[in-house]
Amino acid sequence: MLPAKCLRLVPLQRRNLIPTLLFCAISGSVLYLNSYLTFSTLFGGDKIYRSGRWWVDKLPSSLLSFKNHSSLIHTEQPRVRHFPHCLVIGASKAGTRAVLEFINMHPHVVRPINEVHFFDKSHNYKKGYRWYLHQMPESLPHQITVEKTAMYYAVSDVPFRVHQMNSSIRLILVVREPFSRALSDYLHMRVSYNNRGLKYESFENMAVDEKTGNLDLDFYAIQRSQYHHHLWRWMEYFPLSQIHITDGDILRTEPWTEMQKIQTFLGLQEFYNSSLFFFDKSRKFYCIKKETMACLQKSKGRKHPTVDKTVAEKLRAYFRRENEKFFNLTGRRFPW
């Protein structure tokens, strides 16, 4: 409501007229802006957010969340949709699903069930931040939101798009021995094709150029294991301090140790220890202890195909050189 003196009908003295009109104009502008922000937040979703970085940085975080109708009625412990505090960006077939399921065990974390593919698929990105926000689960005030899409890591446009949304977001990258990761990537695609009754070329035919006999470095399974190439692009926008690198091989053998590191990186309360996991001997990896035991889906942990020795040696030699670039970039060595 405007100040009372702006609503008076009695004549003003001349010397007070200009200051009073100026005061009323400012008051009216503030009232209008406040109403606009409230209306846009409740019904416009991301309109303010998309209008420019300056507005995003200046607005309180409460205006960047979409409250459902129930939270408007029940003021006690409202559940709110938040943009992710952290992204698990990849690498695909390195253990990202395990990280997401294990991190979801923590009582202070929520996550979307499925990969959202907002930043890597242009048709989703064009739907805007409001659509993205609606893909997030509702959370309580003490919880953070984590989203995982494993293809974010290897798609060139994604680092810029993520930075545009939130330059201070936390990122988790999962890596594993690159030759094994490449085989898992290939096997995943082959099974997908076979399930639809389609044939799929052998790993050797796809990994080696038939004409030259050299490795085909554009083969997706090889390309996605070139860790340094993709990480360098992310580091153009984010400092390494915002990127936590998880060892996918250790995650498989001692998941609690890697989850404790992630827990620290995200500033979460201590939670993880070995008693939360059990080893499934038939599947040869760790599962989650709940009221009922829970394991990752059966598509995880498939047996790799046997690869021609010559091709395998070429790939291992190639990755040894590539790995050194990754080690130098991160200042950290892995036993590859």
Side-chain angles (χ1 to χ4, degrees):
M1 183 177 291
L2 287 173
K5 68 178 180 179
C6 295
L7 303 176
R8 289 176 187 161
L9 299 178
V10 295
L12 294 169
Q13 294 182 10
R14 184 165 187 160
R15 68 175 182 275
N16 294 328
L17 180 60
I18 293 177
T20 301
L21 288 176
L22 182 60
F23 175 77
C24 293
I26 294 173
S27 300
S29 299
V30 171
L31 179 64
Y32 172 79
L33 180 59
N34 182 63
S35 301
Y36 173 72
L37 292 179
T38 303
F39 181 85
S40 297
T41 302
L42 297 179
F43 303 104
D46 63 331
K47 289 181 181 177
I48 301 173
Y49 192 93
R50 291 174 63 83
S51 64
R53 288 293 309 170
W54 187 88
W55 279 101
V56 175
D57 293 337
K58 301 302 178 186
L59 289 175
S61 59
S62 59
L63 291 180
L64 299 181
S65 303
F66 178 84
K67 296 187 177 182
N68 64 11
H69 295 296
S70 62
S71 68
L72 295 174
I73 299 170
H74 304 290
T75 57
E76 208 170 307
Q77 292 292 301
R79 290 184 178 272
V80 180
R81 297 186 195 276
H82 284 286
F83 288 105
H85 299 74
C86 172
L87 294 178
V88 181
I89 58 175
S92 59
K93 315 315 296 181
T96 55
R97 172 54 62 176
V99 165
L100 189 68
E101 294 305 319
F102 294 160
I103 204 171
N104 190 53
M105 296 165 64
H106 200 291
H108 293 175
V109 174
V110 296
R111 57 90 172 98
I113 296 174
N114 299 315
E115 293 192 345
V116 180
H117 288 284
F118 177 65
F119 296 103
D120 62 319
K121 293 189 180 296
S122 292
H123 66 274
N124 283 338
Y125 190 67
K126 289 176 182 177
K127 295 176 184 177
Y129 292 120
R130 186 183 184 189
W131 178 88
Y132 184 47
L133 187 59
H134 275 274
Q135 311 313 304
M136 299 302 115
E138 295 177 340
S139 60
L140 293 169
H142 65 279
Q143 294 176 315
I144 67 170
T145 303
V146 176
E147 192 248 309
K148 186 274 285 191
T149 298
M151 286 304 298
Y152 285 165
Y153 181 56
V155 177
S156 59
D157 292 335
V158 173
F160 170 76
R161 289 174 174 178
V162 173
H163 188 268
Q164 282 290 98
M165 185 192 76
N166 184 357
S167 61
S168 61
I169 197 168
R170 298 270 174 161
L171 307 169
I172 295 175
L173 169 65
V174 188
V175 295
R176 62 185 283 206
E177 193 279 312
F179 178 57
S180 297
R181 195 223 64 83
L183 283 176
S184 292
D185 210 349
Y186 163 80
L187 185 58
H188 175 77
M189 289 298 295
R190 191 181 77 179
V191 170
S192 176
Y193 270 68
N194 293 163
N195 288 343
R196 289 176 284 163
L198 302 173
K199 292 183 179 180
Y200 203 62
E201 282 196 71
S202 69
F203 181 86
E204 291 84 351
N205 287 346
M206 300 183 80
V208 178
D209 187 299
E210 186 179 1
K211 295 179 180 178
T212 65
N214 297 325
L215 293 175
D216 183 356
L217 301 183
D218 291 327
F219 175 35
Y220 67 87
I222 296 177
Q223 197 263 347
R224 292 171 189 167
S225 283
Q226 297 168 347
Y227 298 137
H228 75 93
H229 172 73
H230 304 296
L231 181 60
W232 178 84
R233 190 169 56 243
W234 280 90
M235 289 176 65
E236 286 188 289
Y237 296 94
F238 298 94
L240 198 55
S241 59
Q242 280 178 234
I243 307 172
H244 178 77
I245 301 174
T246 294
D247 189 327
D249 294 316
I250 295 179
L251 184 72
R252 189 183 182 97
T253 58
E254 287 187 9
W256 54 91
T257 60
E258 289 302 302
M259 294 311 300
Q260 286 167 354
K261 295 173 185 176
I262 290 175
Q263 171 182 269
T264 300
F265 174 68
L266 296 178
L268 295 170
Q269 185 178 352
E270 289 187 12
F271 175 77
Y272 295 100
N273 57 65
S274 59
S275 67
L276 297 175
F277 303 88
F278 75 97
F279 187 72
D280 187 317
K281 293 181 180 179
S282 62
R283 303 180 69 182
K284 297 182 180 179
F285 57 75
Y286 278 88
C287 302
I288 302 169
K289 282 185 181 177
K290 293 184 177 179
E291 294 80 6
T292 57
M293 303 303 184
C295 284
L296 298 176
Q297 59 198 54
K298 292 183 179 180
S299 62
K300 306 299 180 182
R302 294 190 186 105
K303 185 178 179 180
H304 286 170
T306 302
V307 178
D308 176 81
K309 288 184 178 180
T310 303
V311 174
E313 280 305 312
K314 279 186 178 181
L315 271 171
R316 288 195 172 97
Y318 169 74
F319 282 130
R320 277 194 291 271
R321 296 190 298 271
E322 294 297 296
N323 293 342
E324 288 299 320
K325 298 175 185 177
F326 180 66
F327 300 159
N328 291 334
L329 189 61
T330 60
R332 177 180 172 185
R333 297 195 70 83
F334 292 80
W336 306 330

